[in-house]
Amino acid sequence: TEAMLREIKDDLVDIARAAGQMMIDADHSVGDSDTKKNSSDRVTATDKAVEKMVQDRLTSTYPAFGFLGEEGFKTGDKLEDKPTFVCDPIDGTLNFIHGFPNTAVSLALTIEKKPFVGVVYNPFRGDLFTAIKWQGAFLTTATGLTRRLPLTTVPKPLPSLNEALVAVEWGSQRSGPNWALRTSMAQALMTDKEAGGAMVHSIRSNGSAALDFCYVAAGQIDMFWEGGCWVWDVCAGWVILEEAGGMVASANPGDWEPTLEGRLYLAVRGAKRAEQEDVVKQLWDMMGERKF
Ligand code: IPD
């Protein structure tokens, strides 16, 4: 019910604020990070401590619900139909390690594999993004002011791809098909039209897919494209974006299994449906045979 979802959202906000305090208190300059697959794929003691706190609090309050977290994930784990909390304790771990303040805790509730509640909190900026399905998306800033998303009151027309500001992210792989896809897409987005590219206004890599979704929801970035991020990176941002009138295109809809194939995420900000569909088409045409 709506009241139940609101209660869950409030609990997720409390937990996100506690997680944020742990991130602020952590001395990330001591270099407590370990390498996962390679030197760009990192995990810190704080990632693990935050996930443990989140999981402990959620499983004691909601024992019947599932839990899927980035750090506890094991190959074969799947998002199930039952209500499930999805947690990325620190989205933007590399930013966190470097002290670049674009990093967030990302918490979501899914029901039948669809995100119903999303909370993304960046404690270093004090930005709290929240959404409940059918109840709108909101940003509460450090000053305590809450505004509905998108931040523009009159919907700005969505520009064609070549006038858009586009977020892209690099992930952690630095070779192989996924890397080839990311680099060739970034190059094609930036290249001059005469030379066959889309010549977008520019691309931005903020280092957190969860916050990219929120910036698109706010209308500050026109779209976000990434090939290969995981369910916990996008789940909370997904409902925040949709509730702000945005759309997520062709990211194996409904199939949330964190497998490598087909995880192509294109998030488009709020605008007229026809404008959104037009930029989606422009981008998919541009992708052509690029796959991984
Ligand atoms: C990563 C960040 C990064 C994106 C990766 C994500 P993490 O999340 O969002 O920007 O490129 O795909 O996995 O590892 O920092 O939680």
Side-chain angles (χ1 to χ4, degrees), residues 8 33 49 64-65 108 124 143 149 191 216-217 283:
I8 290 172
S33 68
F65 289 20
F124 300 101
T143 60
L149 301 181
T191 298
V216 177
L283 201 120

Side-chain angles (χ1 to χ4, degrees), residues 2 6 9 29 37 107 117 146 151 179 193 195 212 224 250 268 272:
E2 285 193 3
R6 270 202 298 277
K9 189 269 287 172
S29 64
K37 288 191 293 292
L107 305 175
V117 180
T146 297
L151 295 174
W179 177 241
K193 281 200 137 185
D212 287 327
F224 162 55
S250 195
V268 182
K272 292 199 180 102

Side-chain angles (χ1 to χ4, degrees), residues 36 41-42 47 70-71 88-94 169-172 182 206-210 212 224 226-230 232-233:
K36 292 209 272 191
D41 193 8
R42 315 293 288 196
D47 291 70
E70 175 173 23
E71 307 313 332
D88 189 341
I90 302 182
D91 187 60
T93 301
L94 272 181
E169 295 294 343
W170 299 100
S172 56
R182 288 172 195 256
N206 300 301
S208 158
D212 287 327
F224 162 55
E226 181 164 0
C229 44
W230 300 80
W232 42 80
D233 300 318

Side-chain angles (χ1 to χ4, degrees), residues 67-217:
F67 184 89
L68 186 68
E70 175 173 23
E71 307 313 332
F73 173 76
K74 294 177 297 315
T75 312
D77 284 354
K78 284 190 169 69
L79 195 56
E80 292 174 48
D81 278 343
K82 70 174 176 190
T84 300
F85 291 110
V86 179
C87 163
D88 189 341
I90 302 182
D91 187 60
T93 301
L94 272 181
N95 285 349
F96 177 69
I97 291 168
H98 287 266
F100 182 60
N102 195 80
T103 177
V105 49
S106 173
L107 305 175
L109 172 76
T110 60
I111 301 171
E112 291 178 351
K113 301 192 185 105
K114 292 197 179 55
F116 271 68
V117 180
V119 170
V120 175
Y121 177 52
N122 174 356
F124 300 101
R125 290 279 184 241
D127 287 339
L128 173 73
F129 297 90
T130 64
I132 302 172
K133 204 171 175 66
W134 305 304
Q135 295 183 46
F138 298 88
L139 164 64
T140 302
T141 59
T143 60
L145 193 76
T146 297
R147 292 174 68 188
R148 186 182 269 271
L149 301 181
L151 295 174
T152 44
T153 38
V154 180
K156 287 189 286 182
L158 189 64
S160 67
L161 202 51
N162 95 301
E163 289 171 292
L165 189 60
V166 182
V168 299
E169 295 294 343
W170 299 100
S172 56
Q173 293 173 19
R174 295 295 180 266
S175 61
N178 183 295
W179 177 241
L181 174 71
R182 288 172 195 256
T183 49
S184 74
M185 277 297 282
Q187 186 173 21
L189 283 167
M190 288 294 273
T191 298
D192 211 310
K193 281 200 137 185
E194 279 68 56
M199 198 173 169
V200 296
H201 271 179
S202 197
I203 57 176
R204 295 286 179 263
S205 297
N206 300 301
S208 158
L211 284 169
D212 287 327
F213 265 77
C214 294
Y215 299 144
V216 177

Side-chain angles (χ1 to χ4, degrees), residues 25-41:
D25 291 345
D27 186 358
H28 48 83
S29 64
V30 298
D32 68 352
S33 68
D34 291 333
T35 292
K36 292 209 272 191
K37 288 191 293 292
N38 64 26
S39 60
S40 307
D41 193 8

